[in-house]
Coordinates of all heavy atoms in Angstrom, one line a residue:
T162 N 25.0 -88.9 33.5 CA 24.0 -89.4 32.6 C 24.5 -90.6 31.9 O 25.7 -90.9 31.9 CB 23.8 -88.3 31.5 OG1 25.0 -88.2 30.7 CG2 23.4 -87.0 32.1
R163 N 23.6 -91.5 31.4 CA 23.9 -92.7 30.7 C 24.7 -92.5 29.4 O 25.3 -93.4 28.9 CB 22.7 -93.6 30.5 CG 21.9 -93.9 31.8 CD 20.8 -94.9 31.4 NE 20.1 -95.3 32.6 CZ 19.1 -96.2 32.6 NH1 18.9 -97.0 31.5 NH2 18.5 -96.5 33.7
E164 N 24.7 -91.3 28.9 CA 25.4 -91.0 27.7 C 26.8 -90.7 27.9 O 27.6 -90.6 26.9 CB 24.7 -89.7 27.0 CG 23.3 -90.0 26.5 CD 22.3 -90.1 27.5 OE1 22.5 -89.5 28.6 OE2 21.3 -90.9 27.3
L165 N 27.3 -90.6 29.1 CA 28.6 -90.3 29.4 C 29.6 -91.5 29.0 O 29.4 -92.6 29.5 CB 28.9 -90.0 31.0 CG 30.3 -89.6 31.3 CD1 30.7 -88.3 30.7 CD2 30.4 -89.5 32.9
P166 N 30.5 -91.4 28.1 CA 31.3 -92.5 27.7 C 32.3 -93.0 28.8 O 33.0 -92.2 29.4 CB 32.2 -91.9 26.5 CG 31.5 -90.7 26.0 CD 30.8 -90.1 27.4
I167 N 32.2 -94.3 29.1 CA 33.0 -94.9 30.2 C 33.9 -95.9 29.7 O 33.5 -96.8 28.9 CB 32.0 -95.4 31.2 CG1 31.1 -94.3 31.9 CG2 32.7 -96.1 32.4 CD1 31.9 -93.2 32.6
A168 N 35.1 -96.0 30.2 CA 36.1 -97.1 29.9 C 36.5 -97.6 31.3 O 36.4 -97.0 32.4 CB 37.2 -96.5 29.0
G185 N 32.8 -98.6 26.3 CA 31.4 -98.6 26.0 C 30.6 -99.0 27.2 O 29.4 -99.5 27.0
C186 N 31.1 -98.8 28.4 CA 30.3 -99.1 29.6 C 29.3 -98.0 29.8 O 29.4 -96.9 29.4 CB 31.1 -99.2 30.9 SG 32.5 -100.5 30.7
T187 N 28.3 -98.3 30.7 CA 27.3 -97.3 31.0 C 27.3 -97.1 32.6 O 27.4 -98.2 33.3 CB 25.9 -97.9 30.7 OG1 25.8 -98.0 29.2 CG2 24.8 -96.8 31.0
L213 N 36.7 -94.6 34.0 CA 37.3 -93.5 33.2 C 36.2 -92.8 32.4 O 35.6 -93.5 31.5 CB 38.5 -94.0 32.3 CG 39.6 -94.8 33.0 CD1 40.6 -95.2 32.0 CD2 40.2 -93.9 34.1
A214 N 35.9 -91.6 32.6 CA 35.1 -90.8 31.8 C 35.8 -90.0 30.8 O 36.8 -89.4 31.2 CB 34.2 -89.9 32.7
R215 N 35.3 -89.9 29.6 CA 36.0 -89.2 28.6 C 35.1 -88.0 28.2 O 33.9 -88.2 27.7 CB 36.3 -90.0 27.4 CG 37.1 -89.1 26.3 CD 37.5 -90.1 25.1 NE 38.4 -89.4 24.2 CZ 39.0 -89.9 23.2 NH1 38.8 -91.2 22.9 NH2 39.8 -89.2 22.4
T216 N 35.5 -86.8 28.4 CA 34.8 -85.6 28.0 C 35.7 -84.7 27.0 O 36.8 -85.2 26.6 CB 34.4 -84.7 29.2 OG1 35.7 -84.2 29.8 CG2 33.7 -85.6 30.3
Y220 N 40.3 -87.5 29.6 CA 39.9 -88.5 30.6 C 40.1 -88.0 32.0 O 41.0 -87.3 32.4 CB 40.8 -89.7 30.4 CG 40.5 -90.6 29.2 CD1 41.2 -90.5 28.0 CD2 39.3 -91.5 29.2 CE1 40.8 -91.3 26.9 CE2 39.1 -92.3 28.1 CZ 39.8 -92.2 27.0 OH 39.6 -92.9 25.9
I223 N 36.1 -91.0 37.5 CA 34.9 -90.6 38.2 C 34.5 -91.6 39.4 O 33.8 -91.3 40.3 CB 33.7 -90.5 37.3 CG1 33.2 -91.9 36.8 CG2 34.0 -89.6 36.2 CD1 31.9 -91.9 36.1

Side-chain angles (χ1 to χ4, degrees):
T162 67
R163 296 188 182 191
E164 290 73 32
L165 183 66
I167 297 295
C186 302
T187 300
L213 304 178
R215 186 173 186 178
T216 67
Y220 283 99
I223 66 167

